[in-house]
Amino acid sequence: MSGNAGADLREEVRSRYAAAARAVMEPKSGAPAGCCDGSQASSCCGTEPDSDPADVFGTLYGEGETDELPAEAVLASLGCGNPVAVAGLNEGERVLDLGSGGGIDVLLSARRVGPSGFAYGVDMTDEMLQLARANAARAGARNVEFRKGQIEAFPLPDASVDVVISNCVINLSTDKPAVLAEMFRVLVPGGRIGITDVVAEDRLTPADRAAAGSYVGCIAGALSRAEYLAGLAAAGFAGASVTFTTEAASGIHSAIIRAIKPASS
């Protein structure tokens, strides 16, 4: 993708998610708190403007899992799964959430890793960072930090986290090899990824994906399963798997992606 095209798409994504954050922080009178340009905030990733988000992608948090979180964090959840559960977090681990948005997965991660662990969130959108930091303060979370940055270049040092998670964000990147390489870089040897993302069946060409939905709707930019596995291998990961869960459109699925950075790295 050319530099100009990539920059234009990144700005389109940033603008859409900024609007989602503002809709939560400053709901219009008479509109639901989660609205984003006329649709629910949870529709900002994974749906077209006139579709019902419940019919496409939806977060899969367990009953009661988000009860103690600020309502604003839940309203700003824009994902397609539950990477916190996928990653199998343990006490004391350091976690990085890519495209952390309103902070829901960072706050859930912080709870799971406990006071001896730590959860970082990286997001490029000022409005989402403002919302996430406010949500962390409301939740009284002390073992979290939100940093501004792009997921193609994390503002963290090498080998600084045990786990990388992400919720329906990597498909939005215009340089996915850079994202996968950055995940590998910041993980400690033996570290792992636990990601939920939108993934296409191998039969769909890039043109098929573009016809199925927009880039900012998390469809056109989706990798195929084979492309995801090849990209993870090229970045150095081992034991990679891509497991389809919910089908959002013909040949387009929410998926769970797991992989490990070899201990000898």
Side-chain angles (χ1 to χ4, degrees), residues 61-70 73-74 82 84 89-93 95 103-119 135 139-144:
Y61 300 104
E63 184 176 354
E65 191 170 3
T66 63
D67 286 355
E68 297 180 11
L69 296 183
V74 180
N82 183 353
V84 178
L89 302 179
N90 301 306
E91 186 84 19
E93 289 187 314
V95 186
I104 186 171
D105 292 319
V106 172
L107 295 177
L108 289 173
S109 295
R111 183 190 299 171
R112 291 208 180 193
V113 301
S116 61
F118 203 88
N135 286 332
R142 300 181 182 277
N143 57 335
V144 304

PDB file of all heavy atoms in Angstrom, residues 61-70 73-74 82 84 89-93 95 103-119 135 139-144:
ATOM      1  N   TYR A  61     -17.507 -11.268  26.462  1.00  0.00           N
ATOM      2  CA  TYR A  61     -17.133 -11.278  27.864  1.00  0.00           C
ATOM      3  C   TYR A  61     -18.123 -12.122  28.651  1.00  0.00           C
ATOM      4  O   TYR A  61     -19.331 -12.131  28.368  1.00  0.00           O
ATOM      5  CB  TYR A  61     -17.075  -9.851  28.409  1.00  0.00           C
ATOM      6  CG  TYR A  61     -16.072  -8.996  27.671  1.00  0.00           C
ATOM      7  CD1 TYR A  61     -16.490  -8.039  26.748  1.00  0.00           C
ATOM      8  CD2 TYR A  61     -14.712  -9.174  27.864  1.00  0.00           C
ATOM      9  CE1 TYR A  61     -15.571  -7.275  26.042  1.00  0.00           C
ATOM     10  CE2 TYR A  61     -13.782  -8.416  27.161  1.00  0.00           C
ATOM     11  CZ  TYR A  61     -14.215  -7.473  26.264  1.00  0.00           C
ATOM     12  OH  TYR A  61     -13.300  -6.732  25.561  1.00  0.00           O
ATOM     13  N   GLY A  62     -17.601 -12.839  29.648  1.00  0.00           N
ATOM     14  CA  GLY A  62     -18.448 -13.708  30.435  1.00  0.00           C
ATOM     15  C   GLY A  62     -19.404 -12.925  31.318  1.00  0.00           C
ATOM     16  O   GLY A  62     -19.207 -11.732  31.594  1.00  0.00           O
ATOM     17  N   GLU A  63     -20.432 -13.623  31.772  1.00  0.00           N
ATOM     18  CA  GLU A  63     -21.433 -12.989  32.625  1.00  0.00           C
ATOM     19  C   GLU A  63     -20.777 -12.458  33.891  1.00  0.00           C
ATOM     20  O   GLU A  63     -20.055 -13.159  34.593  1.00  0.00           O
ATOM     21  CB  GLU A  63     -22.518 -14.001  32.991  1.00  0.00           C
ATOM     22  CG  GLU A  63     -23.651 -13.409  33.796  1.00  0.00           C
ATOM     23  CD  GLU A  63     -24.768 -14.412  34.076  1.00  0.00           C
ATOM     24  OE1 GLU A  63     -24.683 -15.533  33.542  1.00  0.00           O
ATOM     25  OE2 GLU A  63     -25.693 -14.064  34.829  1.00  0.00           O
ATOM     26  N   GLY A  64     -21.010 -11.181  34.172  1.00  0.00           N
ATOM     27  CA  GLY A  64     -20.463 -10.548  35.366  1.00  0.00           C
ATOM     28  C   GLY A  64     -19.034 -10.080  35.225  1.00  0.00           C
ATOM     29  O   GLY A  64     -18.516  -9.391  36.116  1.00  0.00           O
ATOM     30  N   GLU A  65     -18.363 -10.414  34.100  1.00  0.00           N
ATOM     31  CA  GLU A  65     -16.942 -10.102  33.963  1.00  0.00           C
ATOM     32  C   GLU A  65     -16.676  -8.599  33.943  1.00  0.00           C
ATOM     33  O   GLU A  65     -15.630  -8.134  34.419  1.00  0.00           O
ATOM     34  CB  GLU A  65     -16.388 -10.750  32.693  1.00  0.00           C
ATOM     35  CG  GLU A  65     -14.878 -10.712  32.578  1.00  0.00           C
ATOM     36  CD  GLU A  65     -14.350 -11.558  31.440  1.00  0.00           C
ATOM     37  OE1 GLU A  65     -15.161 -12.142  30.698  1.00  0.00           O
ATOM     38  OE2 GLU A  65     -13.109 -11.632  31.285  1.00  0.00           O
ATOM     39  N   THR A  66     -17.607  -7.836  33.403  1.00  0.00           N
ATOM     40  CA  THR A  66     -17.400  -6.391  33.288  1.00  0.00           C
ATOM     41  C   THR A  66     -18.204  -5.591  34.309  1.00  0.00           C
ATOM     42  O   THR A  66     -18.220  -4.361  34.245  1.00  0.00           O
ATOM     43  CB  THR A  66     -17.777  -5.912  31.868  1.00  0.00           C
ATOM     44  OG1 THR A  66     -19.176  -6.141  31.644  1.00  0.00           O
ATOM     45  CG2 THR A  66     -16.972  -6.641  30.815  1.00  0.00           C
ATOM     46  N   ASP A  67     -18.841  -6.282  35.249  1.00  0.00           N
ATOM     47  CA  ASP A  67     -19.746  -5.596  36.176  1.00  0.00           C
ATOM     48  C   ASP A  67     -19.059  -4.504  36.986  1.00  0.00           C
ATOM     49  O   ASP A  67     -19.657  -3.477  37.295  1.00  0.00           O
ATOM     50  CB  ASP A  67     -20.384  -6.606  37.139  1.00  0.00           C
ATOM     51  CG  ASP A  67     -21.452  -7.451  36.465  1.00  0.00           C
ATOM     52  OD1 ASP A  67     -21.758  -7.172  35.284  1.00  0.00           O
ATOM     53  OD2 ASP A  67     -21.959  -8.394  37.093  1.00  0.00           O
ATOM     54  N   GLU A  68     -17.799  -4.716  37.359  1.00  0.00           N
ATOM     55  CA  GLU A  68     -17.110  -3.759  38.213  1.00  0.00           C
ATOM     56  C   GLU A  68     -16.335  -2.702  37.434  1.00  0.00           C
ATOM     57  O   GLU A  68     -15.668  -1.859  38.028  1.00  0.00           O
ATOM     58  CB  GLU A  68     -16.169  -4.503  39.160  1.00  0.00           C
ATOM     59  CG  GLU A  68     -16.903  -5.446  40.129  1.00  0.00           C
ATOM     60  CD  GLU A  68     -15.954  -6.163  41.060  1.00  0.00           C
ATOM     61  OE1 GLU A  68     -14.763  -5.789  41.104  1.00  0.00           O
ATOM     62  OE2 GLU A  68     -16.400  -7.107  41.744  1.00  0.00           O
ATOM     63  N   LEU A  69     -16.444  -2.732  36.117  1.00  0.00           N
ATOM     64  CA  LEU A  69     -15.749  -1.738  35.306  1.00  0.00           C
ATOM     65  C   LEU A  69     -16.620  -0.503  35.117  1.00  0.00           C
ATOM     66  O   LEU A  69     -17.850  -0.587  35.166  1.00  0.00           O
ATOM     67  CB  LEU A  69     -15.405  -2.324  33.934  1.00  0.00           C
ATOM     68  CG  LEU A  69     -14.436  -3.497  33.901  1.00  0.00           C
ATOM     69  CD1 LEU A  69     -14.163  -3.885  32.451  1.00  0.00           C
ATOM     70  CD2 LEU A  69     -13.134  -3.180  34.624  1.00  0.00           C
ATOM     71  N   PRO A  70     -16.005   0.657  34.864  1.00  0.00           N
ATOM     72  CA  PRO A  70     -16.803   1.851  34.556  1.00  0.00           C
ATOM     73  C   PRO A  70     -17.677   1.607  33.331  1.00  0.00           C
ATOM     74  O   PRO A  70     -17.248   0.959  32.367  1.00  0.00           O
ATOM     75  CB  PRO A  70     -15.733   2.912  34.279  1.00  0.00           C
ATOM     76  CG  PRO A  70     -14.508   2.431  34.985  1.00  0.00           C
ATOM     77  CD  PRO A  70     -14.557   0.940  34.905  1.00  0.00           C
ATOM     78  N   ALA A  73     -16.121   2.380  29.963  1.00  0.00           N
ATOM     79  CA  ALA A  73     -15.196   1.412  29.374  1.00  0.00           C
ATOM     80  C   ALA A  73     -15.950   0.347  28.593  1.00  0.00           C
ATOM     81  O   ALA A  73     -15.518  -0.078  27.515  1.00  0.00           O
ATOM     82  CB  ALA A  73     -14.351   0.766  30.468  1.00  0.00           C
ATOM     83  N   VAL A  74     -17.075  -0.071  29.119  1.00  0.00           N
ATOM     84  CA  VAL A  74     -17.881  -1.090  28.447  1.00  0.00           C
ATOM     85  C   VAL A  74     -18.523  -0.518  27.189  1.00  0.00           C
ATOM     86  O   VAL A  74     -18.552  -1.159  26.130  1.00  0.00           O
ATOM     87  CB  VAL A  74     -18.943  -1.657  29.403  1.00  0.00           C
ATOM     88  CG1 VAL A  74     -19.788  -2.718  28.711  1.00  0.00           C
ATOM     89  CG2 VAL A  74     -18.280  -2.241  30.657  1.00  0.00           C
ATOM     90  N   ASN A  82     -12.807 -11.686  23.108  1.00  0.00           N
ATOM     91  CA  ASN A  82     -12.319 -11.463  24.469  1.00  0.00           C
ATOM     92  C   ASN A  82     -10.874 -11.940  24.553  1.00  0.00           C
ATOM     93  O   ASN A  82     -10.611 -13.073  24.967  1.00  0.00           O
ATOM     94  CB  ASN A  82     -13.199 -12.210  25.470  1.00  0.00           C
ATOM     95  CG  ASN A  82     -12.790 -11.958  26.917  1.00  0.00           C
ATOM     96  OD1 ASN A  82     -11.775 -11.330  27.179  1.00  0.00           O
ATOM     97  ND2 ASN A  82     -13.572 -12.458  27.850  1.00  0.00           N
ATOM     98  N   VAL A  84      -8.557 -11.226  26.554  1.00  0.00           N
ATOM     99  CA  VAL A  84      -8.080 -11.472  27.919  1.00  0.00           C
ATOM    100  C   VAL A  84      -8.264 -12.944  28.272  1.00  0.00           C
ATOM    101  O   VAL A  84      -7.380 -13.586  28.855  1.00  0.00           O
ATOM    102  CB  VAL A  84      -8.823 -10.567  28.913  1.00  0.00           C
ATOM    103  CG1 VAL A  84      -8.365 -10.843  30.334  1.00  0.00           C
ATOM    104  CG2 VAL A  84      -8.591  -9.098  28.559  1.00  0.00           C
ATOM    105  N   LEU A  89      -4.174 -15.215  31.029  1.00  0.00           N
ATOM    106  CA  LEU A  89      -3.242 -14.422  31.828  1.00  0.00           C
ATOM    107  C   LEU A  89      -3.039 -14.994  33.219  1.00  0.00           C
ATOM    108  O   LEU A  89      -3.965 -15.551  33.824  1.00  0.00           O
ATOM    109  CB  LEU A  89      -3.745 -12.985  31.925  1.00  0.00           C
ATOM    110  CG  LEU A  89      -3.939 -12.254  30.594  1.00  0.00           C
ATOM    111  CD1 LEU A  89      -4.460 -10.849  30.824  1.00  0.00           C
ATOM    112  CD2 LEU A  89      -2.643 -12.230  29.795  1.00  0.00           C
ATOM    113  N   ASN A  90      -1.821 -14.802  33.727  1.00  0.00           N
ATOM    114  CA  ASN A  90      -1.444 -15.308  35.047  1.00  0.00           C
ATOM    115  C   ASN A  90      -0.985 -14.175  35.951  1.00  0.00           C
ATOM    116  O   ASN A  90      -0.550 -13.116  35.486  1.00  0.00           O
ATOM    117  CB  ASN A  90      -0.309 -16.333  34.921  1.00  0.00           C
ATOM    118  CG  ASN A  90      -0.690 -17.511  34.056  1.00  0.00           C
ATOM    119  OD1 ASN A  90      -1.710 -18.158  34.292  1.00  0.00           O
ATOM    120  ND2 ASN A  90       0.119 -17.806  33.052  1.00  0.00           N
ATOM    121  N   GLU A  91      -1.076 -14.419  37.242  1.00  0.00           N
ATOM    122  CA  GLU A  91      -0.616 -13.466  38.256  1.00  0.00           C
ATOM    123  C   GLU A  91       0.823 -13.049  37.968  1.00  0.00           C
ATOM    124  O   GLU A  91       1.692 -13.870  37.670  1.00  0.00           O
ATOM    125  CB  GLU A  91      -0.701 -14.108  39.638  1.00  0.00           C
ATOM    126  CG  GLU A  91      -0.389 -13.194  40.796  1.00  0.00           C
ATOM    127  CD  GLU A  91      -1.591 -12.371  41.240  1.00  0.00           C
ATOM    128  OE1 GLU A  91      -2.722 -12.752  40.905  1.00  0.00           O
ATOM    129  OE2 GLU A  91      -1.368 -11.362  41.940  1.00  0.00           O
ATOM    130  N   GLY A  92       1.057 -11.746  38.022  1.00  0.00           N
ATOM    131  CA  GLY A  92       2.406 -11.215  37.898  1.00  0.00           C
ATOM    132  C   GLY A  92       2.883 -10.956  36.484  1.00  0.00           C
ATOM    133  O   GLY A  92       3.986 -10.425  36.293  1.00  0.00           O
ATOM    134  N   GLU A  93       2.096 -11.282  35.471  1.00  0.00           N
ATOM    135  CA  GLU A  93       2.539 -11.071  34.097  1.00  0.00           C
ATOM    136  C   GLU A  93       2.389  -9.620  33.659  1.00  0.00           C
ATOM    137  O   GLU A  93       1.552  -8.882  34.179  1.00  0.00           O
ATOM    138  CB  GLU A  93       1.769 -11.986  33.144  1.00  0.00           C
ATOM    139  CG  GLU A  93       2.154 -13.441  33.281  1.00  0.00           C
ATOM    140  CD  GLU A  93       1.517 -14.323  32.222  1.00  0.00           C
ATOM    141  OE1 GLU A  93       0.297 -14.175  31.971  1.00  0.00           O
ATOM    142  OE2 GLU A  93       2.236 -15.186  31.671  1.00  0.00           O
ATOM    143  N   VAL A  95       1.416  -7.282  30.490  1.00  0.00           N
ATOM    144  CA  VAL A  95       0.560  -7.437  29.314  1.00  0.00           C
ATOM    145  C   VAL A  95       0.539  -6.133  28.519  1.00  0.00           C
ATOM    146  O   VAL A  95       0.522  -5.043  29.094  1.00  0.00           O
ATOM    147  CB  VAL A  95      -0.887  -7.783  29.738  1.00  0.00           C
ATOM    148  CG1 VAL A  95      -1.751  -8.084  28.513  1.00  0.00           C
ATOM    149  CG2 VAL A  95      -0.904  -8.945  30.711  1.00  0.00           C
ATOM    150  N   GLY A 103     -10.103   1.148  27.012  1.00  0.00           N
ATOM    151  CA  GLY A 103      -9.377   0.529  28.115  1.00  0.00           C
ATOM    152  C   GLY A 103      -9.974  -0.728  28.704  1.00  0.00           C
ATOM    153  O   GLY A 103      -9.424  -1.277  29.672  1.00  0.00           O
ATOM    154  N   ILE A 104     -11.058  -1.266  28.137  1.00  0.00           N
ATOM    155  CA  ILE A 104     -11.719  -2.399  28.769  1.00  0.00           C
ATOM    156  C   ILE A 104     -10.790  -3.595  28.936  1.00  0.00           C
ATOM    157  O   ILE A 104     -10.739  -4.212  30.011  1.00  0.00           O
ATOM    158  CB  ILE A 104     -13.007  -2.797  28.002  1.00  0.00           C
ATOM    159  CG1 ILE A 104     -13.757  -3.901  28.763  1.00  0.00           C
ATOM    160  CG2 ILE A 104     -12.709  -3.190  26.564  1.00  0.00           C
ATOM    161  CD1 ILE A 104     -15.138  -4.184  28.199  1.00  0.00           C
ATOM    162  N   ASP A 105     -10.019  -3.936  27.889  1.00  0.00           N
ATOM    163  CA  ASP A 105      -9.173  -5.121  27.987  1.00  0.00           C
ATOM    164  C   ASP A 105      -7.943  -4.882  28.851  1.00  0.00           C
ATOM    165  O   ASP A 105      -7.427  -5.816  29.474  1.00  0.00           O
ATOM    166  CB  ASP A 105      -8.782  -5.600  26.589  1.00  0.00           C
ATOM    167  CG  ASP A 105      -9.980  -6.135  25.816  1.00  0.00           C
ATOM    168  OD1 ASP A 105     -10.801  -6.842  26.421  1.00  0.00           O
ATOM    169  OD2 ASP A 105     -10.108  -5.827  24.613  1.00  0.00           O
ATOM    170  N   VAL A 106      -7.470  -3.653  28.914  1.00  0.00           N
ATOM    171  CA  VAL A 106      -6.371  -3.330  29.827  1.00  0.00           C
ATOM    172  C   VAL A 106      -6.838  -3.467  31.272  1.00  0.00           C
ATOM    173  O   VAL A 106      -6.138  -4.052  32.113  1.00  0.00           O
ATOM    174  CB  VAL A 106      -5.844  -1.906  29.561  1.00  0.00           C
ATOM    175  CG1 VAL A 106      -4.838  -1.494  30.635  1.00  0.00           C
ATOM    176  CG2 VAL A 106      -5.195  -1.841  28.184  1.00  0.00           C
ATOM    177  N   LEU A 107      -8.015  -2.965  31.577  1.00  0.00           N
ATOM    178  CA  LEU A 107      -8.525  -3.048  32.946  1.00  0.00           C
ATOM    179  C   LEU A 107      -8.816  -4.490  33.349  1.00  0.00           C
ATOM    180  O   LEU A 107      -8.520  -4.899  34.478  1.00  0.00           O
ATOM    181  CB  LEU A 107      -9.779  -2.190  33.080  1.00  0.00           C
ATOM    182  CG  LEU A 107      -9.572  -0.688  32.888  1.00  0.00           C
ATOM    183  CD1 LEU A 107     -10.898   0.062  32.982  1.00  0.00           C
ATOM    184  CD2 LEU A 107      -8.576  -0.131  33.909  1.00  0.00           C
ATOM    185  N   LEU A 108      -9.370  -5.277  32.434  1.00  0.00           N
ATOM    186  CA  LEU A 108      -9.603  -6.690  32.736  1.00  0.00           C
ATOM    187  C   LEU A 108      -8.281  -7.430  32.910  1.00  0.00           C
ATOM    188  O   LEU A 108      -8.145  -8.293  33.789  1.00  0.00           O
ATOM    189  CB  LEU A 108     -10.426  -7.337  31.618  1.00  0.00           C
ATOM    190  CG  LEU A 108     -11.892  -6.923  31.539  1.00  0.00           C
ATOM    191  CD1 LEU A 108     -12.534  -7.502  30.282  1.00  0.00           C
ATOM    192  CD2 LEU A 108     -12.671  -7.354  32.777  1.00  0.00           C
ATOM    193  N   SER A 109      -7.285  -7.090  32.089  1.00  0.00           N
ATOM    194  CA  SER A 109      -5.963  -7.708  32.211  1.00  0.00           C
ATOM    195  C   SER A 109      -5.320  -7.362  33.549  1.00  0.00           C
ATOM    196  O   SER A 109      -4.733  -8.224  34.219  1.00  0.00           O
ATOM    197  CB  SER A 109      -5.051  -7.247  31.066  1.00  0.00           C
ATOM    198  OG  SER A 109      -5.525  -7.693  29.822  1.00  0.00           O
ATOM    199  N   ALA A 110      -5.421  -6.089  33.935  1.00  0.00           N
ATOM    200  CA  ALA A 110      -4.829  -5.654  35.199  1.00  0.00           C
ATOM    201  C   ALA A 110      -5.421  -6.417  36.366  1.00  0.00           C
ATOM    202  O   ALA A 110      -4.716  -6.767  37.323  1.00  0.00           O
ATOM    203  CB  ALA A 110      -5.049  -4.156  35.375  1.00  0.00           C
ATOM    204  N   ARG A 111      -6.705  -6.686  36.296  1.00  0.00           N
ATOM    205  CA  ARG A 111      -7.356  -7.455  37.350  1.00  0.00           C
ATOM    206  C   ARG A 111      -6.810  -8.887  37.401  1.00  0.00           C
ATOM    207  O   ARG A 111      -6.555  -9.437  38.467  1.00  0.00           O
ATOM    208  CB  ARG A 111      -8.868  -7.478  37.111  1.00  0.00           C
ATOM    209  CG  ARG A 111      -9.661  -8.199  38.184  1.00  0.00           C
ATOM    210  CD  ARG A 111     -11.114  -8.384  37.768  1.00  0.00           C
ATOM    211  NE  ARG A 111     -11.790  -7.114  37.547  1.00  0.00           N
ATOM    212  CZ  ARG A 111     -13.006  -7.013  37.003  1.00  0.00           C
ATOM    213  NH1 ARG A 111     -13.645  -8.097  36.591  1.00  0.00           N
ATOM    214  NH2 ARG A 111     -13.562  -5.828  36.865  1.00  0.00           N
ATOM    215  N   ARG A 112      -6.605  -9.480  36.233  1.00  0.00           N
ATOM    216  CA  ARG A 112      -6.153 -10.876  36.189  1.00  0.00           C
ATOM    217  C   ARG A 112      -4.696 -11.039  36.609  1.00  0.00           C
ATOM    218  O   ARG A 112      -4.340 -12.036  37.242  1.00  0.00           O
ATOM    219  CB  ARG A 112      -6.351 -11.445  34.777  1.00  0.00           C
ATOM    220  CG  ARG A 112      -7.818 -11.613  34.409  1.00  0.00           C
ATOM    221  CD  ARG A 112      -8.015 -12.717  33.403  1.00  0.00           C
ATOM    222  NE  ARG A 112      -9.421 -12.864  33.056  1.00  0.00           N
ATOM    223  CZ  ARG A 112      -9.912 -13.898  32.397  1.00  0.00           C
ATOM    224  NH1 ARG A 112      -9.101 -14.884  32.019  1.00  0.00           N
ATOM    225  NH2 ARG A 112     -11.189 -13.968  32.101  1.00  0.00           N
ATOM    226  N   VAL A 113      -3.839 -10.091  36.235  1.00  0.00           N
ATOM    227  CA  VAL A 113      -2.422 -10.242  36.589  1.00  0.00           C
ATOM    228  C   VAL A 113      -2.138  -9.771  38.006  1.00  0.00           C
ATOM    229  O   VAL A 113      -1.058 -10.049  38.553  1.00  0.00           O
ATOM    230  CB  VAL A 113      -1.509  -9.511  35.581  1.00  0.00           C
ATOM    231  CG1 VAL A 113      -1.727 -10.045  34.187  1.00  0.00           C
ATOM    232  CG2 VAL A 113      -1.725  -7.996  35.622  1.00  0.00           C
ATOM    233  N   GLY A 114      -3.070  -9.066  38.613  1.00  0.00           N
ATOM    234  CA  GLY A 114      -2.941  -8.668  40.006  1.00  0.00           C
ATOM    235  C   GLY A 114      -1.933  -7.559  40.226  1.00  0.00           C
ATOM    236  O   GLY A 114      -1.282  -7.081  39.293  1.00  0.00           O
ATOM    237  N   PRO A 115      -1.769  -7.147  41.475  1.00  0.00           N
ATOM    238  CA  PRO A 115      -0.882  -6.019  41.786  1.00  0.00           C
ATOM    239  C   PRO A 115       0.582  -6.274  41.467  1.00  0.00           C
ATOM    240  O   PRO A 115       1.353  -5.328  41.315  1.00  0.00           O
ATOM    241  CB  PRO A 115      -1.104  -5.797  43.292  1.00  0.00           C
ATOM    242  CG  PRO A 115      -1.704  -7.068  43.792  1.00  0.00           C
ATOM    243  CD  PRO A 115      -2.486  -7.644  42.673  1.00  0.00           C
ATOM    244  N   SER A 116       0.978  -7.533  41.360  1.00  0.00           N
ATOM    245  CA  SER A 116       2.371  -7.825  41.005  1.00  0.00           C
ATOM    246  C   SER A 116       2.597  -7.818  39.495  1.00  0.00           C
ATOM    247  O   SER A 116       3.736  -7.904  39.029  1.00  0.00           O
ATOM    248  CB  SER A 116       2.793  -9.186  41.565  1.00  0.00           C
ATOM    249  OG  SER A 116       1.999 -10.232  41.033  1.00  0.00           O
ATOM    250  N   GLY A 117       1.524  -7.716  38.713  1.00  0.00           N
ATOM    251  CA  GLY A 117       1.621  -7.623  37.267  1.00  0.00           C
ATOM    252  C   GLY A 117       1.345  -6.214  36.794  1.00  0.00           C
ATOM    253  O   GLY A 117       1.137  -5.298  37.600  1.00  0.00           O
ATOM    254  N   PHE A 118       1.327  -6.041  35.455  1.00  0.00           N
ATOM    255  CA  PHE A 118       1.115  -4.712  34.905  1.00  0.00           C
ATOM    256  C   PHE A 118       0.478  -4.834  33.529  1.00  0.00           C
ATOM    257  O   PHE A 118       0.762  -5.793  32.795  1.00  0.00           O
ATOM    258  CB  PHE A 118       2.432  -3.945  34.787  1.00  0.00           C
ATOM    259  CG  PHE A 118       2.268  -2.448  34.771  1.00  0.00           C
ATOM    260  CD1 PHE A 118       2.235  -1.735  35.960  1.00  0.00           C
ATOM    261  CD2 PHE A 118       2.124  -1.763  33.576  1.00  0.00           C
ATOM    262  CE1 PHE A 118       2.065  -0.355  35.951  1.00  0.00           C
ATOM    263  CE2 PHE A 118       1.962  -0.388  33.553  1.00  0.00           C
ATOM    264  CZ  PHE A 118       1.933   0.322  34.746  1.00  0.00           C
ATOM    265  N   ALA A 119      -0.369  -3.875  33.188  1.00  0.00           N
ATOM    266  CA  ALA A 119      -1.034  -3.879  31.889  1.00  0.00           C
ATOM    267  C   ALA A 119      -0.819  -2.539  31.196  1.00  0.00           C
ATOM    268  O   ALA A 119      -1.147  -1.481  31.749  1.00  0.00           O
ATOM    269  CB  ALA A 119      -2.522  -4.154  32.045  1.00  0.00           C
ATOM    270  N   ASN A 135     -11.199   6.136  32.650  1.00  0.00           N
ATOM    271  CA  ASN A 135     -11.771   4.871  33.095  1.00  0.00           C
ATOM    272  C   ASN A 135     -10.876   4.169  34.109  1.00  0.00           C
ATOM    273  O   ASN A 135     -11.360   3.578  35.082  1.00  0.00           O
ATOM    274  CB  ASN A 135     -12.020   3.955  31.889  1.00  0.00           C
ATOM    275  CG  ASN A 135     -13.218   4.388  31.065  1.00  0.00           C
ATOM    276  OD1 ASN A 135     -14.152   4.993  31.586  1.00  0.00           O
ATOM    277  ND2 ASN A 135     -13.198   4.074  29.778  1.00  0.00           N
ATOM    278  N   ALA A 139     -11.868   3.232  37.912  1.00  0.00           N
ATOM    279  CA  ALA A 139     -11.754   1.853  38.385  1.00  0.00           C
ATOM    280  C   ALA A 139     -10.758   1.713  39.529  1.00  0.00           C
ATOM    281  O   ALA A 139     -10.688   0.659  40.163  1.00  0.00           O
ATOM    282  CB  ALA A 139     -11.342   0.949  37.231  1.00  0.00           C
ATOM    283  N   GLY A 140      -9.973   2.751  39.793  1.00  0.00           N
ATOM    284  CA  GLY A 140      -8.952   2.670  40.833  1.00  0.00           C
ATOM    285  C   GLY A 140      -7.813   1.743  40.464  1.00  0.00           C
ATOM    286  O   GLY A 140      -7.131   1.199  41.342  1.00  0.00           O
ATOM    287  N   ALA A 141      -7.580   1.564  39.173  1.00  0.00           N
ATOM    288  CA  ALA A 141      -6.528   0.655  38.705  1.00  0.00           C
ATOM    289  C   ALA A 141      -5.170   1.341  38.798  1.00  0.00           C
ATOM    290  O   ALA A 141      -4.955   2.382  38.179  1.00  0.00           O
ATOM    291  CB  ALA A 141      -6.807   0.228  37.281  1.00  0.00           C
ATOM    292  N   ARG A 142      -4.276   0.764  39.546  1.00  0.00           N
ATOM    293  CA  ARG A 142      -2.945   1.343  39.737  1.00  0.00           C
ATOM    294  C   ARG A 142      -1.875   0.674  38.881  1.00  0.00           C
ATOM    295  O   ARG A 142      -0.802   1.247  38.666  1.00  0.00           O
ATOM    296  CB  ARG A 142      -2.545   1.254  41.219  1.00  0.00           C
ATOM    297  CG  ARG A 142      -3.509   2.006  42.143  1.00  0.00           C
ATOM    298  CD  ARG A 142      -3.067   1.914  43.604  1.00  0.00           C
ATOM    299  NE  ARG A 142      -3.987   2.589  44.492  1.00  0.00           N
ATOM    300  CZ  ARG A 142      -3.984   3.894  44.741  1.00  0.00           C
ATOM    301  NH1 ARG A 142      -3.086   4.666  44.149  1.00  0.00           N
ATOM    302  NH2 ARG A 142      -4.866   4.427  45.557  1.00  0.00           N
ATOM    303  N   ASN A 143      -2.135  -0.528  38.408  1.00  0.00           N
ATOM    304  CA  ASN A 143      -1.129  -1.274  37.641  1.00  0.00           C
ATOM    305  C   ASN A 143      -1.415  -1.205  36.143  1.00  0.00           C
ATOM    306  O   ASN A 143      -1.355  -2.209  35.426  1.00  0.00           O
ATOM    307  CB  ASN A 143      -1.056  -2.726  38.110  1.00  0.00           C
ATOM    308  CG  ASN A 143      -2.396  -3.445  38.006  1.00  0.00           C
ATOM    309  OD1 ASN A 143      -3.453  -2.815  38.034  1.00  0.00           O
ATOM    310  ND2 ASN A 143      -2.349  -4.771  37.905  1.00  0.00           N
ATOM    311  N   VAL A 144      -1.748  -0.005  35.653  1.00  0.00           N
ATOM    312  CA  VAL A 144      -2.019   0.196  34.231  1.00  0.00           C
ATOM    313  C   VAL A 144      -1.340   1.479  33.753  1.00  0.00           C
ATOM    314  O   VAL A 144      -1.090   2.396  34.537  1.00  0.00           O
ATOM    315  CB  VAL A 144      -3.538   0.282  33.937  1.00  0.00           C
ATOM    316  CG1 VAL A 144      -4.266  -0.945  34.442  1.00  0.00           C
ATOM    317  CG2 VAL A 144      -4.152   1.542  34.516  1.00  0.00           C
TER     318      VAL A 144
END
